Amino acid sequence: MRIMGLDIGTKTIGVAVSDPLGLTAQGVKVIRRHTWNEDIQELSRIVEDYQVEELLIGLPRRTSGVLGPEAERIQREGDKLGKTLGLSVTYWNEWFSTVSAERVLLEADVSRERRRQVIDGVAAAIILQNYLDSHQKSH
C-alpha cells in the first residue's frame, strides 16, 4: 500500500511517496501553489501515477505539543484534500522536518538556490519516513 506524504505550506506542497511495501519514502516533487483546482489536479495525477491509497500530512505542533493556528489550518485543508481525493488522512508531527531537510541538503553540498527549490519535498520524505519507521517498529 502506497502512502503519499505531504508537507503543506502556503506557497508550496512538498510531496513524497512510499514504496509499495511501506518501507521507504522518496521525495516526488514540490508543487508551487496556484489555485485549489490546480493543486488538486497535480495531486490527483500523483495519486493515480503511484496508486496511492492513503495521505499522510505533516502537522506542525508547538514544542509544548499544542496545535496552533497553522496546524488547525493544515488540518482543515488536509481534511478537504482527503475528501476530494477520496483518501483517508493521517496527521503526523512534522517537528524539525524542515531543519532536518536543510541539514541533509547542506551535507550533500546542494546550492542555496537548489535547496530552496527542493527543501519541501525532502521535508515531506522525512515526515513520511519517520511515520513508516515508527510503524515498522510497532509491527
Side-chain angles (χ1 to χ4, degrees), residues 41-102:
Q41 284 177 349
E42 188 66 33
L43 290 168
S44 293
R45 275 193 289 276
I46 296 167
V47 166
E48 187 176 320
D49 289 350
Y50 288 90
Q51 300 174 341
V52 170
E53 297 178 38
E54 182 181 341
L55 274 181
L56 178 80
I57 298 175
L59 197 62
R61 292 184 179 272
R62 295 183 173 162
T63 52
S64 64
V66 174
L67 298 180
E70 179 68 5
E72 292 169 0
R73 179 191 66 79
I74 288 172
Q75 280 185 312
R76 285 190 303 274
E77 187 169 354
D79 291 348
K80 187 176 173 185
L81 280 171
K83 188 174 182 179
T84 304
L85 296 170
L87 299 171
S88 65
V89 177
T90 301
Y91 294 96
W92 191 253
N93 188 0
E94 69 168 25
W95 208 15
F96 295 121
S97 62
T98 302
V99 172
S100 297
E102 180 80 21

